[in-house]
Amino acid sequence: GDFRHRSAAHAGRDRGAVAVALLLLLSGCLFRCAACARPSNVVVIVADDQDVQLGGLTPVKKAKELVGDAGVTFSNAFTVSPLCCPSRSSMLTGKYPHNHQVRNNSLSGNCSSPAWQSNMEALAFPVYLSKVRYQTFYGGKYLNQYGRKGAGDVGYVPHGWDQWNALVGNSAYYNYSLSVNGKEETHGDNYNTDYLTDLIFNRSLEFLKNRSPQRPFFIMLSPPAPHSPWTAAPQYQTSFSNVKAPRDGSFNKPGGKDKHWLLRQPVNPMANSSINYLDDAFRRRWQTLLSVDDMVEGLVKKLDEIQELNNTYIFYLSDNGYHTGQFSLPIDKRQLYEFDIRVPLMVRGPGIKPNQTLAAPVLNIDLAPTLLDIAGVNLSTVNMDGQSFLPYMAPSLRNGTARSFFLVEYTGEGHPSVDPSCPKLGPGLSECFPDCVCEDAYNNTYACVRTLTGDNLQYCEFADSESFVELYNLTADPHQLENIVKKVDPTLLQTMNQRLIKLQSCAGSSCREDK
């Protein structure tokens, strides 16, 4: 009898041990799954006017190493509008400008206007992120008219942001106002307390320190660099002293008779004063980027310290490209050419293999859907024109297809009165230099189709009295020196025109159909 008792007791003990082991296993699983159920964190860094065509990534060596080399660099990233406010509005909403209606940097051009705030901004990606319980932080330049009297003043904080440190107005490094969670905070010119690039970095560190570790976080940092007034941190003011703007491609070339009239007006060759001016701007732009590079390094270090680096996607991009002397235009953006519409884009994060360069075309309207995809939001419930590029970066997570053509659109800005430094050109111009070269005009209004698969082409139509058309084959002519519109088969022009008409009226999924 003893034997049976003992074995029953044994069995009971064994069952208990198995139950305890199972319980431990289960709780381990649950604990692990709770961790893996928490979506990844995201950090987005948006430089202001950083080109990729003219060596704009050269100064940010640490960012290239810590983000690009640690993940993916997109060799065909584009803005859908080469100007700050329309471009940033596209990033926030995932929509082309013809759908979010932000035409330029002015309040009348719908930049941060009350209409934008009540319609489009209410559907921007931060709203969705806060719904899925992300802790959100914004620091730096937002939209050019943000915080101004006609745009809701500093008290207005867009939906979806928990911590808000947004610059009032356009880029500045010193002597600016911030809206800090709706309260005005004014800054002077003390490097240690006021330099905007460093200030937003330090505030993001505070945010990380005070966050709840149970919930994912989203940080968006928008430093002023390398936008004018190009004020470098004191330690970098002598860097790159021998650097000049690159002299290749279309530098100091005449716009030519086959270009839109705005490109035909600059004096060629450029005056020495213009060349010295743009060389100085080129150097100072690079100097300002060294602080952005430090910021990227500091963030990666902090994320590593708090053991969040492996669960965080880091995006590095710019709102538009830039030119310094191309086609004899001194400095600006706003043109349809590669130097103004191509942007840097580097991403690292979970599921992304290092040292990748991807040629799939990615647009800034794709940023919002990608962020929502990472956050686990069902993209079919979101009305955006862009598409998630998570599938290209991390194919193990998603399947996706690359688009074969896309739209770039811009609405020219001008002044109704004659520019006093440039009376001979008449009214309707803006961004004029003392030697009477104007960078923009009312009729610098264009829409382009850019194709990368099959033919490497750009086809553009201007909304002006001559309905001017430009067409470039970028394989044969990477610097867009020759407009070949009169040399190609008219059926090609017809195809491109039809694509353009379709894209200019597309919305949501119809912007992603390659027909």
Side-chain angles (χ1 to χ4, degrees), residues 91-111:
M91 286 183 205
L92 288 162
T93 59
K95 292 178 189 288
Y96 277 119
H98 66 263
N99 287 329
H100 63 55
Q101 299 286 303
V102 178
R103 291 177 292 282
N104 52 42
N105 287 345
S106 65
L107 202 55
S108 60
N110 209 20
C111 178

Side-chain angles (χ1 to χ4, degrees), residues 254-261 264 327 336-337 458-462 466-473 477 479-488 493:
K257 301 216 180 340
D258 57 356
K259 293 271 188 292
H260 190 244
W261 78 269
R264 301 198 293 265
F327 296 121
L336 55 88
Y337 305 100
Q458 186 183 23
Y459 170 88
C460 302
E461 293 181 7
F462 282 84
E466 38 177 349
S467 301
F468 198 80
V469 176
E470 293 186 33
L471 176 69
Y472 298 97
N473 176 338
D477 177 21
H479 300 295
Q480 295 165 293
L481 301 174
E482 191 195 2
N483 177 5
I484 53 169
V485 71
K486 296 199 166 85
K487 296 187 173 178
V488 296
L493 299 179

Side-chain angles (χ1 to χ4, degrees), residues 200-397:
I200 59 174
F201 166 59
N202 291 328
R203 299 231 169 138
S204 71
L205 296 186
E206 256 167 72
F207 167 76
L208 284 172
K209 195 170 84 193
N210 300 324
R211 80 195 192 287
S212 150
Q214 275 73 50
R215 285 163 55 205
F217 59 80
F218 176 82
I219 294 175
M220 192 164 189
L221 293 172
S222 186
H227 195 286
S228 61
W230 317 303
T231 313
Q235 67 272 31
Y236 295 135
Q237 283 174 1
T238 56
S239 304
F240 306 119
S241 54
N242 300 321
V243 167
K244 289 180 168 176
R247 301 302 202 245
D248 54 356
S250 53
F251 181 83
N252 205 2
K253 291 255 188 352
K257 301 216 180 340
D258 57 356
K259 293 271 188 292
H260 190 244
W261 78 269
L262 197 62
L263 274 282
R264 301 198 293 265
Q265 43 98 30
V267 179
N268 178 268
M270 282 186 280
N272 281 344
S273 57
S274 290
I275 292 183
N276 293 337
Y277 173 77
L278 68 85
D279 276 339
D280 179 58
F282 191 88
R283 264 190 300 280
R284 290 168 63 193
R285 281 163 53 78
W286 274 21
Q287 291 167 356
T288 64
L289 283 164
L290 293 172
S291 295
V292 179
D293 206 30
D294 291 342
M295 177 167 89
V296 175
E297 180 187 41
L299 271 167
V300 170
K301 206 179 264 173
K302 177 49 82 180
L303 291 169
D304 196 26
E305 238 170 69
I306 61 174
Q307 299 184 333
E308 290 286 3
L309 185 58
N310 294 339
N311 192 34
T312 303
Y313 287 91
I314 303 175
F315 291 72
Y316 185 102
L317 69 158
S318 168
D319 51 5
N320 46 255
Y322 206 71
H323 57 258
T324 42
Q326 282 60 43
F327 296 121
S328 309
L329 293 168
I331 56 156
D332 199 44
K333 48 266 179 172
R334 304 167 210 261
Q335 306 303 333
L336 55 88
Y337 305 100
E338 296 280 284
F339 42 73
D340 284 358
I341 63 172
R342 278 184 178 268
V343 291
L345 175 61
M346 306 184 288
V347 193
R348 69 172 288 170
I352 302 177
K353 293 193 172 68
N355 294 309
Q356 295 184 77
T357 301
L358 293 182
V362 170
L363 312 177
N364 61 346
I365 55 171
D366 299 337
L367 180 68
T370 304
L371 299 175
L372 298 187
D373 197 4
I374 289 168
V377 174
N378 178 353
L379 293 182
S380 66
T381 63
V382 177
N383 181 21
M384 292 182 175
D385 304 338
Q387 61 192 45
S388 169
F389 53 91
L390 188 59
Y392 317 149
M393 303 192 289
S396 60
L397 302 177

Side-chain angles (χ1 to χ4, degrees), residues 52-53 72-78 338 342-346 356-362 450 452:
V52 70
Q53 290 293 92
V72 54
T73 301
F74 285 93
S75 57
N76 288 306
F78 293 87
E338 296 280 284
R342 278 184 178 268
V343 291
L345 175 61
M346 306 184 288
Q356 295 184 77
T357 301
L358 293 182
V362 170
R450 184 81 175 77
L452 281 159

